[in-house]
């Protein structure tokens, strides 16, 4: 394996040499190497659409929430006109963070260092985030300071998708809708209420934040389609029974008598790098609950959603786990939560977890979900702990000199992708095994990190070449389904 | 209405002077000086904008007895 020594601004295909999608081999260097990490920060994160926060975290004018976009701290704010803004949290004078709180309410950010003051109040400044005043302006600058040039740096594009707020630093980047494509069905299921009400969810106050000694991509990869690790990694959690049904029931609470967790399940992989552990036709009703009040709420919600979606001609599946390229992972069922893997170093990641709940959910339901989410996810969550152990030790054991000479194996289901009706995507050949999603993720990742231009990136993703090559392997869809039936593991160990 | 000022808070941003030079000025140290404290009805909009523009709330409007 070669190493990358120079930034890839020239567009030389350097990290693409480390991601061999055809043979299913990916170099360990992409999880360890300092220079590759720098190239990610330079070429990927400032050009990708990144999840910043939830609109319900900043409901009122003057509300703000401190977040990160790649290597940069940002503020999600709501201005006095009710609009959302994403601003770089760094003073234009000496770079101090103008805001050091996690969240709060203010219409101005005054830098603690030299007190340059920025306003998000549109009645005081033309553009929210603009420079509003500097101490001793007259003595310091006379009339020479052009305040309009020295406002907080603004994200070039901000998009509120049903309460999910995304931003992009690059004015040339494609629109959010184009970037997401047909993957939006998974975002819909995340943002819509359990009864299908559009955008009917809100963030629980508070975001879990913690650090792991692992590369950020381990997290994205796990969510976007690693259904292979569940049976081994989460065996102990399944034995304990932390899910809706209680002891002896699975942690996602799926109803075994109505399909279980594997039957008919195929992963969905998008050429643009997004991936989901399931498909839209993979329909499993909400879990059974021990308590009647909870059971009634979710049964009613499922029926209402089913009726609504069927009237719209929509399928009922698509609840993940999934990853929106590059680092926003989520599950839109049980649990329903968003995870963003912020890159700190090649071998350190700061993980942020948001939890969503129906706006209309009664207190009992909220409280039950809160407990379930904490049992499941976050630094003390049992399922999360299992995963973190793997990623930390995988990182530690991969950074050695000899270890780095040997690539990871991504060969599951090579060349066996099946057709998908969704634009720019394919399905995996198997319910549990199948690394088609990971291969697509790293292929797209390498195209960004090698700094291909937007026209090149767009052209590469215009047609999913896997869908055309696949015809040579699986001659018709029916055959693919037959294969799936044969390998269903309805009563076997759980996946994902 | 009347304009009040806390010179101890002032950091010489000068926003108030830009917006309402009839009431506000800066001294040789760059700190706020009130040229006149009374604000009549016709001046309220201008003076109000001036005090709102102060990043450190060193100036404000109060009732005459406030």
């Amino acid at each position: 394996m070669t190493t990358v020594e120079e930034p890839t601004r020239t567009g030389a295909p350097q990290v693409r040499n480390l991601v061999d999608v055809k043979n299913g081999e990916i170099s360990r260097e992409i999880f360890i190497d300092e220079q590759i990490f720098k190239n990610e920060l330079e070429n990927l994160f400032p050009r990708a659409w990144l999840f910043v926060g939830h609109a319900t975290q900043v409901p009122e004018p003057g509300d703000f929430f401190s977040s990160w976009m790649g290597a940069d701290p940002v503020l999600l704010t709501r201005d006095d006109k009710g609009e959302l803004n994403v601003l770089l949290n760094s003073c234009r004078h000496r770079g101090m963070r103008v805001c050091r709180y996690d969240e709060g309410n203010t219409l101005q950010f005054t830098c603690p260092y030299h007190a340059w003051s920025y306003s998000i109040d549109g009645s005081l400044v033309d553009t929210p985030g603009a420079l509003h005043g500097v101490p001793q302006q007259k003595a310091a600058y006379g009339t020479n300071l052009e305040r309009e040039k020295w406002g907080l740096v603004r994200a070039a594009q901000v998009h509120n998708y049903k309460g999910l707020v995304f931003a992009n630093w690059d004015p040339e980047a494609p629109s959010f809708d184009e970037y997401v494509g047909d993957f939006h069905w998974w975002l819909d299921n995340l943002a819509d209420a359990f009864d299908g009400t559009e955008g009917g969810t809100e963030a629980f106050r508070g975001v879990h934040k913690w650090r792991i000694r692992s590369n950020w991509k381990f997290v994205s990869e796990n969510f976007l389609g690693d259904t292979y690790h569940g049976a081994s990694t989460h065996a102990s959690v399944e034995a304990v029974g932390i899910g809706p049904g209680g002891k002896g029931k699975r942690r996602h609470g799926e109803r075994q008598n109505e399909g279980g967790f594997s039957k008919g399940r195929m992963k969905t992989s998008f050429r643009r790098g997004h991936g989901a552990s399931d498909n839209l036709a993979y329909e499993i009703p909400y879990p059974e609950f021990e308590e009647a009040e909870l059971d009634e709420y979710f049964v009613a919600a499922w029926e209402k959603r089913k009726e609504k979606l069927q009237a719209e001609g929509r399928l009922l599946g698509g609840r993940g786990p999934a990853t929106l390229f590059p680092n926003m992972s989520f599950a839109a069922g049980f649990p329903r939560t968003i995870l963003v893997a912020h890159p700190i170093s090649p071998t350190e990641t700061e993980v942020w977890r948001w939890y969503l709940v129906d706006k209309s959910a009664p207190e009992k339901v909220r409280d039950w979900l809160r407990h379930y989410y904490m049992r499941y996810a976050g630094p003390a969550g049992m399922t999360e702990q299992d995963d973190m152990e793997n990623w930390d030790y995988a990182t530690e054991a991969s950074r050695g000199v000899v270890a780095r000479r040997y690539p990871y194996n991504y060969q599951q289901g090579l060349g066996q992708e099946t057709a998908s009706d969704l634009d720019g995507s394919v399905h995996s050949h198997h319910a549990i095994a199948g690394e088609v999603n990971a291969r697509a993720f790293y292929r797209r990742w390498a195209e960004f990190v090698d700094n291909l231009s937007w026209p090149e990136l767009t052209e590469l993703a215009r047609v999913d070449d896997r869908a055309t090559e696949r015809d040579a392997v699986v001659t018709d869809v029916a055959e693919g389904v037959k294969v799936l039936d044969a390998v269903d593991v309805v009563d076997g160990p759980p996946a994902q | 209405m009347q304009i009040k000022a806390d010179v101890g808070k002032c950091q010489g941003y000068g926003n108030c002077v830009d917006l309402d030079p009839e009431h506000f000025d800066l001294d040789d140290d760059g700190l706020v000086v009130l040229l006149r404290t009374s604000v009549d009805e016709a001046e309220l909009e201008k003076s109000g904008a001036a005090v709102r523009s102060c990043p450190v709330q060193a100036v404000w409007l109060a009732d005459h007895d406030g």
Side-chain angles (χ1 to χ4, degrees):
Chain A
M1 289 288 172
T2 55
T3 56
V4 175
E5 285 159 6
E6 296 296 322
T8 54
R9 285 178 170 282
T10 55
Q14 299 191 61
V15 300
R16 273 172 290 166
N17 292 340
L18 306 179
V19 177
D20 183 352
V21 173
K22 283 266 179 283
N23 296 305
E25 292 185 14
I26 294 179
S27 168
R28 299 182 189 220
E29 294 292 349
I30 76 165
F31 301 96
I32 303 290
D33 185 78
E34 289 279 351
Q35 187 58 53
I36 292 174
F37 180 76
K38 284 179 187 165
N39 293 357
E40 288 178 334
L41 297 186
E42 285 279 346
N43 302 332
L44 169 61
F45 287 97
R47 297 198 295 160
W49 279 95
L50 303 173
F51 180 73
V52 175
H54 200 276
T56 58
Q57 293 180 285
V58 288
E60 301 297 329
D63 284 350
F64 66 86
F65 170 68
S66 291
S67 190
W68 287 85
M69 290 174 66
D72 295 292
V74 295
L75 293 161
L76 170 63
T77 68
R78 194 176 292 271
D79 62 40
D80 62 326
K81 293 187 178 59
E83 299 296 318
L84 294 168
N85 304 274
V86 176
L87 310 167
L88 185 66
N89 186 1
S90 179
C91 184
R92 294 292 302 279
H93 180 234
R94 286 295 179 277
M96 173 71 186
R97 277 179 73 158
V98 296
C99 175
R100 291 169 294 166
Y101 293 94
D102 292 337
E103 59 186 22
N105 182 281
T106 183
L107 280 169
Q108 64 183 10
F109 297 105
T110 299
C111 178
Y113 197 174
H114 303 95
W116 278 32
S117 184
Y118 304 87
S119 180
I120 56 172
D121 179 350
S123 72
L124 296 176
V125 292
D126 290 336
T127 308
L131 183 61
H132 170 222
V134 301
Q136 300 293 346
Q137 170 161 344
K138 200 171 164 195
Y141 304 100
T143 55
N144 293 329
L145 181 66
E146 297 177 79
R147 286 196 207 175
E148 63 277 10
K149 287 188 179 173
W150 296 96
L152 293 177
V153 174
R154 298 172 61 80
Q157 302 186 60
V158 177
H159 190 85
N160 178 355
Y161 191 82
K162 297 183 173 183
L164 307 169
V165 184
F166 299 86
N168 196 314
W169 291 116
D170 188 350
E172 305 299 321
S175 71
F176 179 78
D177 290 338
E178 187 183 338
Y179 181 91
V180 170
D182 274 351
F183 184 74
H184 77 83
W185 298 113
W186 279 265
L187 290 177
D188 291 327
N189 286 332
L190 173 66
D192 296 345
F194 277 120
D195 70 1
T197 301
E198 284 204 22
T201 51
E202 62 186 27
F204 270 116
R205 297 301 290 173
V207 177
H208 260 142
K209 304 170 182 175
W210 72 100
R211 289 197 176 191
I212 56 176
R213 289 183 175 178
S214 166
N215 187 275
W216 65 272
K217 295 188 290 297
F218 269 108
V219 187
S220 293
E221 179 193 319
N222 182 279
F223 276 78
L224 65 69
D226 186 340
T227 46
Y228 192 54
H229 77 287
S232 50
T233 290
H234 301 305
S236 58
V237 170
E238 295 295 353
V240 172
I242 64 169
K247 205 163 173 12
K249 299 289 175 65
R250 295 184 183 180
R251 68 190 188 283
H252 297 287
E254 61 273 19
R255 294 167 188 253
Q256 292 307 305
N257 60 349
E258 295 183 51
F261 205 59
S262 307
K263 191 176 175 61
R265 188 187 218 208
M266 290 183 297
K267 294 181 264 280
T268 311
S269 167
F270 288 82
R271 179 60 181 83
R272 292 190 177 100
H274 323 305
S277 304
D278 64 349
N279 52 292
L280 297 184
Y282 177 61
E283 170 189 335
I284 45 169
Y286 301 144
E288 283 171 300
F289 293 81
E290 287 178 331
E291 292 185 60
E293 191 180 336
L294 295 168
D295 219 41
E296 284 162 19
Y297 180 83
F298 286 106
V299 167
W302 175 260
E303 287 306 319
K304 191 174 168 191
R305 176 173 180 269
K306 188 173 183 176
E307 198 175 317
K308 179 179 187 294
L309 267 57
Q310 285 178 343
E312 294 169 8
R314 280 177 58 185
L315 294 167
L316 299 178
R319 305 219 304 267
T323 295
L324 176 75
F325 182 84
N327 69 334
M328 181 225 192
S329 298
F330 59 91
F334 291 82
R336 180 160 55 183
T337 154
I338 298 164
L339 182 158
V340 172
H342 296 294
I344 303 297
S345 84
T347 55
E348 188 167 17
T349 299
E350 188 161 307
V351 182
W352 286 23
R353 274 266 193 194
W354 285 255
Y355 303 92
L356 299 184
V357 65
D358 289 353
K359 284 176 183 167
S360 60
E363 200 52 44
K364 178 96 175 171
V365 170
R366 283 168 183 265
D367 203 47
W368 184 87
L369 286 174
R370 190 170 59 84
H371 280 104
Y372 171 51
Y373 292 170
M374 287 192 298
R375 284 198 299 276
Y376 191 105
M382 294 179 73
T383 309
E384 193 103 55
Q385 286 182 27
D386 288 341
D387 291 321
M388 290 189 294
E389 286 284 297
N390 290 330
W391 303 331
D392 285 7
Y393 283 100
T395 299
E396 186 186 83
S398 292
R399 62 204 301 178
V401 174
V402 174
R404 287 164 80 159
R405 295 173 187 161
Y406 296 88
Y408 291 154
N409 181 307
Y410 286 86
Q411 296 175 334
Q412 287 181 18
L414 260 184
Q416 295 177 51
E417 294 86 357
T418 62
S420 164
D421 290 337
L422 300 176
D423 188 38
S425 73
V426 296
H427 293 304
S428 63
H429 70 299
H430 187 275
I432 293 174
E435 288 164 340
V436 55
N437 294 24
R439 290 192 293 272
F441 175 86
Y442 289 114
R443 174 157 70 159
R444 193 58 167 167
W445 168 86
E447 290 165 357
F448 268 83
V449 176
D450 277 345
N451 207 21
L452 299 190
S453 68
W454 278 117
E456 288 172 304
L457 289 169
T458 303
E459 180 59 23
L460 283 167
R462 195 174 55 78
V463 176
D464 192 338
D465 54 351
R466 300 170 301 172
T468 49
E469 285 171 13
R470 172 253 321 147
D471 289 339
V473 181
V474 179
T475 47
D476 69 4
V477 183
E479 189 180 326
V481 172
K482 236 179 276 170
V483 173
L484 269 176
D485 285 343
V487 296
D488 270 344
V489 187
V490 179
D491 300 316
Q496 175 61 29
Chain B
M1 300 290 273
Q2 243 188 340
I3 299 172
K4 301 274 188 182
D6 181 346
V7 181
K9 279 188 177 175
C10 179
Q11 295 199 35
Y13 287 89
N15 290 1
C16 54
V17 185
D18 292 345
L19 289 164
D20 185 4
E22 288 172 30
H23 285 95
F24 300 94
D25 199 359
L26 300 176
D27 66 15
D28 291 344
D29 293 329
L31 302 181
V32 68
V33 174
L34 297 182
L35 300 174
R36 182 155 59 82
T37 58
S38 66
V39 178
D40 62 37
E41 199 63 33
E43 297 171 320
L44 201 55
E45 192 178 333
K46 215 178 204 185
S47 301
V51 299
R52 275 204 315 280
S53 77
C54 180
V56 289
Q57 287 97 46
V59 289
W60 65 96
L61 283 175
D63 292 333
H64 277 286
D65 54 355

